[in-house]
Each structure stands twice: as structure tokens, then as C-alpha cells.
Amino acid sequence: MRAQVSVILPVHNAEPWLDECLRSVLQQDFEGSMELSVFNDASKDKSMAIIEKWKVKLEDSGILVVIGGHDSPSPRGVGYSKNQAIAQSSGSYLCFLDSVFTSNGPTVVMPTWFCSRAWFSHVGPFDEGGQGVPEDLLLFYNHLRKGGGVRRVDQSLLLYRYHPSAATHSVLEATIWTHRVRFLEERALPHWATFTIWNAGKQGRRLYRSLTAGARHKVVAFCDVDENKIKKGFYCYEDSQERPKPRVPILHFRAARPPFVICVKLDLTGGAFEDNLRSLHLQEGRDFLHFS
């Protein structure tokens, strides 16, 4: 019988974390039918022995375990492993689990954590470019292009563990930045004739320099609360090939006008920053975008 939910677990040399990860699957409070679909991506450690041990425990508890994989000299990457684990699974819904996660369910319901098989078929598959490719981010962007959204759950239901050999570390920050800037230019900026970059510091200036020439021409100002930055009066893009070189005004945020691209790493849910937004009567999604 087809499971309601397939837990998708790609594995590559995950021996130190697998026991805790698989224990979290066993301790799920989901009352429907569930299966675990594991794909071993050329692990050279004892990962498969651990999985076989847990297979008995999980199936004794009514959770079917499907195991696939390959033993080639080199791994094929997270995107490939996820796609293979999905292909061998049967559930109507897909819950993605990493061997460094312990999970009781997704905290943010989005397609890289949880989605229906039908929706994944509509949006996916994961990019199989291998090491250095942010396959989850690219799938999420395709999800948004197809009209999808996200749903927040106000509970901490997932723990992510960073470790030196995690695939996350193979994705360069510059790669993530480039994908985010291009998506911003594709999805948001075409709808704005002009906009203001909120942050005249390093992040804001970096965003300005990363934009295409056409998008840069839409930037009418930077805004900030730092008096030293505001006193400078403008930012000059010295590396520009344009003549004269672009000089963008720097304003106090209360003197600036929306729409904004907010280029700061702050929590938008509380504190003085939220109070400032309220004072300007901004509506997220229409008047500003958070970019970091």
C-alpha cells in the first residue's frame, strides 16, 4: 500500500549522525502511513550498516524502509541522491531529511522541506550539478516561478547540525549571492521603475555593484540611520565604466521613499527595525524586499 508520506534521506559518509537522525524518524508523532526512502551516495564509512540496523527497528514500528544507492568511486551529489530517493519512493507527500537533521516535522513548509509528490513533479527535479550547487535554493526559486509559496510554523521542529564535511560548506557564499541577485532582478525589479537600497554600508554597496546596469539605473538612493554615512551625501561607484561615474545619494531612512530593498541581516519580526518600518507604514511584499 502506498504510504502517505515518504521521508527522503540522501546519505554520504554520515556515520556520526545517522543514529540520531534515524531515531528522530522513529519518534515521529505523525499518525498516518510513512516510509523512509534512503539513497546511499557512495558512502565509504559504516553508514549502510547503521541503516540496515535501523531498518529492522523502523519496519517493526510500521515504517517501510526502501534502500537504494551506488558504490562508485565518487559521490554524485545531494541533488542526484534526492532525485533517486524520490524515484524509488511511493508516498503522496515528500518530507526531505538530511543525515545531519533531527526532525519532528518541517518548521517552514516549503518544497525543499515538504511538498506533495504532484507538486514536486510540476516543479522539480533537483539540480544534479553536484558539489558546489545550491540544489535546494534552485528548486525553491523554480517553485516560486510556478506560483508556489511558503507557510511558517511557529514552532522549532527541526535542528540543523553544521559539521566540517557538510555539503553546505561546498556551496560558496558568492554562488548563493549571485543566484539571489539574479532572481531579484528577474522577479521583483521589473515591477519597479525606481527603488531605494536600505543600507549604505558594505552589504548595500555590494548589492548595487552586483546589479546589471539597467537595474543600477533604477536605484535612486541609499538610506541608512548611520549619521556618518549620511553626512557623506552620496556613494560614488568608482569601478563603473560610465562617465561621469554614478553618484547615488545617501539619505536618512525617514527621508527616503519606497519601494526598498533592505540589505541587512536583521530579524524583521521585532525590535527597533520593525518599529521603523511601522512608522513608514510599509507593507512587506509591496513596498520592500529583504535581501541579505
Side-chain angles (χ1 to χ4, degrees):
M1 183 177 68
R2 169 180 283 194
Q4 288 177 278
V5 175
S6 293
V7 178
I8 303 302
L9 179 61
V11 173
H12 173 68
N13 292 343
E15 179 183 346
W17 310 281
L18 266 176
D19 279 316
E20 189 176 359
C21 171
L22 295 171
R23 185 176 296 110
S24 77
V25 176
L26 184 63
Q27 294 174 344
Q28 287 284 331
D29 57 10
F30 177 62
E31 296 180 354
S33 59
M34 183 168 64
E35 71 176 3
L36 174 66
S37 179
V38 180
F39 189 84
N40 172 39
D41 189 19
S43 294
K44 306 304 181 187
D45 62 1
K46 297 179 181 178
S47 291
M48 290 311 298
I50 296 171
I51 290 167
E52 291 292 347
K53 176 188 70 176
W54 277 95
K55 182 178 188 293
V56 177
K57 296 180 182 180
L58 291 165
E59 293 195 335
D60 284 347
S61 297
I63 300 173
L64 176 67
V65 179
V66 182
I67 301 174
H70 68 97
D71 56 1
S72 302
S74 300
R76 295 284 300 274
V78 179
Y80 172 80
S81 299
K82 288 179 180 177
N83 288 336
Q84 293 299 310
I86 292 165
Q88 70 186 19
S89 69
S90 66
S92 299
Y93 293 88
L94 307 173
C95 184
F96 296 95
L97 187 63
D98 194 299
S99 54
V100 296
F101 293 161
T102 58
S103 175
N104 294 309
T107 298
V108 179
V109 182
M110 54 193 290
T112 54
W113 298 115
F114 190 91
C115 68
S116 70
R117 181 178 297 274
W119 184 252
F120 178 82
S121 298
H122 180 61
V123 173
F126 286 99
D127 188 292
E128 296 186 358
Q131 188 174 33
V133 174
E135 82 292 332
D136 52 351
L137 179 65
L138 297 180
L139 181 76
F140 179 58
Y141 284 166
N142 285 336
H143 162 77
L144 295 178
R145 290 184 180 104
K146 298 285 189 177
V150 299
R151 184 175 295 276
R152 173 174 170 170
V153 178
D154 291 322
Q155 293 174 268
S156 296
L157 300 177
L158 181 139
L159 170 67
Y160 191 91
R161 180 188 293 106
Y162 284 90
H163 61 88
S165 60
T168 298
H169 299 302
S170 71
V171 182
L172 299 177
E173 188 274 339
T175 300
I176 298 292
W177 179 271
T178 299
H179 281 299
R180 296 192 71 189
V181 172
R182 297 289 85 86
F183 191 75
L184 176 72
E185 292 183 320
E186 172 194 335
R187 302 291 293 179
L189 300 190
H191 303 289
W192 294 345
T194 61
F195 66 96
T196 300
I197 296 177
W198 189 313
N199 186 359
K202 182 179 178 180
Q203 284 288 94
R205 297 195 303 269
R206 182 188 181 191
L207 173 60
Y208 178 82
R209 295 192 300 269
S210 300
L211 296 171
T212 60
R216 282 199 304 271
H217 290 158
K218 293 185 176 186
V219 179
V220 293
F222 291 91
C223 70
D224 213 297
V225 295
D226 187 329
E227 292 296 335
N228 291 326
K229 294 185 180 75
I230 296 168
K231 285 178 182 178
K232 292 181 181 178
F234 64 89
Y235 165 68
C236 181
Y237 182 22
E238 296 290 351
D239 293 334
S240 174
Q241 300 302 309
E242 297 180 49
R243 295 293 183 274
K245 296 181 185 295
R247 291 161 63 100
V248 184
I250 301 176
L251 309 174
H252 189 279
F253 81 91
R254 293 186 183 278
R257 293 289 179 267
F260 298 98
V261 175
I262 300 173
C263 206
V264 291
K265 295 182 179 180
L266 291 176
D267 184 359
L268 294 181
T269 62
F273 187 67
E274 183 186 33
D275 294 338
N276 291 337
L277 293 181
R278 286 200 191 100
S279 72
L280 291 172
H281 305 292
L282 301 182
Q283 296 182 25
E284 184 172 7
R286 188 187 71 184
D287 295 320
F288 75 86
L289 289 171
H290 182 228
F291 187 94
S292 60

